[in-house]
Amino acid sequence: MQPPFSKALESNGFIFLSGEVPIDKEGKIPEGIEAQTALVMNKIKTTLLQYNAEIENILSVTVYLTDKSDFDKFNHIYENYFSLPYPVRTTVICELVVDVKLEITVIAQKK
């Protein structure tokens, strides 16, 4: 059953992505925060391309981490996807609905 939300919506030149989690096409979750971060960022990149946007068009990021000790390792992978000026970002430590290490949602502007 499909959950009651849209993966992404476009409005007034902006693209709003729902939270993306590190579950691959086969339903598998990679081991470790680094692999999970890379998978989520690549999934976000793919979704943005469907809306004629790229990672560089991201303005705002909200990151939900389940373990504060993963913060530095997460940042190490995350920073490879962006250049200056970085998008604004909020990071929250919390429990997630799915058993993964992170969830990321973004707002981007169309090209």
Side-chain angles (χ1 to χ4, degrees), residues 29-87:
I29 301 168
E31 289 286 324
I33 188 65
E34 295 98 336
Q36 289 191 22
T37 301
L39 177 57
V40 168
M41 293 304 297
N42 288 326
K43 288 173 73 174
I44 288 169
K45 186 176 183 178
T46 299
T47 301
L48 288 174
L49 287 173
Q50 295 171 8
Y51 287 84
N52 194 32
E54 298 181 21
I55 289 279
E56 294 81 17
N57 301 112
I58 294 175
L59 301 172
S60 178
V61 179
T62 304
V63 179
Y64 303 92
L65 292 175
T66 59
D67 187 343
K68 187 177 181 177
S69 67
D70 285 334
F71 187 69
D72 289 339
K73 290 178 183 176
F74 160 78
N75 269 329
H76 179 71
I77 301 302
Y78 175 89
E79 70 184 348
N80 293 316
Y81 287 85
F82 297 102
S83 57
L84 293 172
Y86 297 123

Side-chain angles (χ1 to χ4, degrees), residues 1-7:
M1 181 176 144
Q2 177 66 27
F5 63 86
S6 298
K7 182 171 179 68

Side-chain angles (χ1 to χ4, degrees), residues 19-30:
E20 191 65 75
V21 294
I23 300 174
D24 68 18
K25 291 178 182 178
E26 289 79 40
K28 296 180 182 171
I29 301 168

